[in-house]
Amino acid sequence: MSKKVVLGFSGGLDTTFCVKYLSEDKGYEVHSVIVNTGGFTAEELQKIEVHALNLGVKTHTTVDAVKGYYDRIIKYLIFGNCLKNNTYPLSVSAERLSQALHIAEHAQKLNADAVAHGSTGAGNDQVRFDMIFHIMIPGTEIITPIRDLKLSREAEISYLKEKGVNMNFDKAMYSINKGLWGTSVGGKETLSSKGLLPEEAWPTQVTKSGTEEISLGFEKGELQSVNDKVFAHPVEAIQYLQSIAGPYGIGRDIHVGDTIIGIKGRVGFEAAAPMLILKAHHALEKHVLTKWQLQWKDTLAQFYGNWMHEGQILDPVMRDIEAFLQNSQQNVSGKVFIQLMPYRFQVAGIESPFDLMNSKFGKYGEMNTGFTGDDVRGFSKIFGNQVSIWNSVNEGK
């Protein structure tokens, strides 16, 4: 009886090679699985399934992970206002973890002898997939044909043509990876330390002009409405917001970061909805949270985002931080008003029943109603007392 291998399958060149290599050269019974985290239409998923079956897989499974991806990962990235290096909303890195978890679960379900993925030896994904598999399905063999054989694109194409595979082998000028939480764009301009992606490289073209004001409604930190249109699940709100803001070219940037394997890399991305949500959420938090809540949220969230980027979603410390982030959102409810313009946006303000910027207690720079000038004189002396003592003791030293 042939050994079973579960293959994370996207339908591209690398995973197409993996099917033929594993089934025909190595004799495995291949079970392909694609995990949709918001990057595929129903029609695209159907084509990928047909392609997998035509290649000869034993079974093909499509996992709809979009809402689970939000509930397990994206929600906490919003609570933490997480931007890698203050720039990148962790679009692909978070997505890969969701995919790895579902692939491992599928391998458990099928009682597979091995699990395979199409990662090369050059990037972060190989570490993310391998690590999740080692933790969730220990002892299961991990097969990575592209990495292990050190294959070039040309070698893969030649092999598949010999096997009679009929598919489009033309390499696109730009590598696109689309998901719910943003789309990455890689090309020749991102391979060096200088260069901007041309307009035609961006998947979403700029078709809107002028200014448009929108409102985002949050309930306990989660996006519930856009322009007073209420959604059953935040995923739907994110997708709707993307359709409004994407055509402005908002959320485009190039991220420079440190990979897990120690090298630096550049990648372009467009993430209109994620950037608007993160900045709106942060603006609301600045109004409704205390300064020490904000301080500790920033500290923990920076670690959380970095550790997530490095694939460590299963570390129990992540559950501890998520509990803190969840609890911090009790009063993060209200509306945020944003002006959209081509290539940029501006937060115009917020409305919230929990707004701590309340004129009942005073107006910054003008007047206050909670204390007197004499109170401040005494407070200032006490607040700086220890530093005054230190300066007196160390005067002239």
Side-chain angles (χ1 to χ4, degrees), residues 111-379:
N111 194 27
D113 301 288
V115 64
H117 59 90
S119 299
T120 69
N124 290 318
D125 290 344
Q126 58 179 326
V127 178
R128 295 176 182 132
F129 282 113
D130 282 7
M131 188 161 50
I132 295 293
F133 297 158
H134 282 308
I135 295 169
M136 286 193 65
I137 43 176
T140 302
E141 183 184 6
I142 300 172
I143 308 172
T144 55
I146 310 304
R147 176 177 64 183
D148 297 343
L149 299 173
K150 300 178 182 178
L151 293 172
S152 67
R153 179 181 177 82
E154 291 71 27
E156 291 179 64
I157 292 172
S158 177
Y159 173 89
L160 290 173
K161 284 182 176 178
E162 288 176 8
K163 295 289 185 179
V165 175
N166 182 24
M167 64 181 290
N168 182 10
F169 293 115
D170 293 334
K171 184 177 181 181
M173 289 184 65
Y174 295 93
S175 173
I176 309 294
N177 187 93
K178 183 180 180 183
L180 177 67
W181 205 234
T183 300
S184 68
V185 186
K188 64 180 184 298
E189 294 86 358
T190 61
L191 296 177
S192 61
S193 298
K194 181 182 178 183
L196 296 174
L197 290 166
E199 186 66 27
E200 62 270 18
W202 299 104
T204 306
Q205 293 291 289
V206 177
T207 57
K208 286 188 176 182
S209 59
T211 302
E212 178 180 351
E213 183 169 286
I214 63 170
S215 64
L216 303 185
F218 291 87
E219 182 69 30
K220 294 189 175 181
E222 296 191 70
L223 183 66
Q224 298 292 335
S225 67
V226 180
N227 293 337
D228 294 323
K229 181 179 174 68
V230 179
F231 296 89
H233 192 279
V235 161
E236 298 161 13
I238 293 169
Q239 293 168 333
Y240 182 68
L241 177 59
Q242 181 66 35
S243 72
I244 293 174
Y248 278 105
I250 288 169
R252 293 179 176 182
D253 207 343
I254 291 183
H255 167 59
V256 181
D258 296 291
T259 64
I260 304 170
I261 56 177
I263 61 176
K264 287 188 181 288
R266 292 177 89 224
V267 65
F269 66 90
E270 60 173 40
M275 294 305 294
L276 289 170
I277 293 166
L278 290 170
K279 293 301 182 182
H281 177 266
H282 193 203
L284 183 58
E285 282 194 327
K286 287 191 286 186
H287 278 265
V288 303
L289 298 184
T290 67
K291 69 177 180 180
W292 293 117
Q293 284 180 299
L294 291 167
Q295 164 73 35
W296 282 107
K297 272 191 77 272
D298 285 349
T299 300
L300 291 173
Q302 184 178 38
F303 174 86
Y304 185 87
N306 286 338
W307 212 219
M308 177 75 72
H309 172 77
E310 303 205 346
Q312 295 284 2
I313 189 174
L314 296 177
D315 190 326
V317 74
M318 300 293 270
R319 307 293 83 77
D320 298 333
I321 296 174
E322 287 164 1
F324 176 93
L325 293 174
Q326 182 84 53
N327 191 70
S328 73
Q329 300 300 294
Q330 298 308 304
N331 290 346
V332 186
S333 299
K335 284 187 179 180
V336 183
F337 302 92
I338 306 175
Q339 287 185 331
L340 307 182
M341 293 152 276
Y343 306 106
R344 64 190 181 94
F345 65 92
Q346 185 170 353
V347 177
I350 71 105
E351 289 179 356
S352 171
F354 304 104
D355 190 357
L356 300 179
M357 187 176 170
N358 193 319
S359 60
K360 183 170 69 174
F361 304 106
K363 294 182 179 179
Y364 179 70
E366 295 185 15
M367 61 177 290
N368 68 78
T369 57
F371 47 84
T372 69
D374 287 338
D375 291 333
V376 177
R377 288 189 184 92
F379 169 76

Side-chain angles (χ1 to χ4, degrees), residues 67-79:
K67 289 183 178 178
Y69 174 36
Y70 170 86
D71 293 333
R72 190 166 188 177
I73 297 176
I74 292 176
K75 177 172 72 173
Y76 298 106
L77 296 179
I78 295 171
F79 290 171

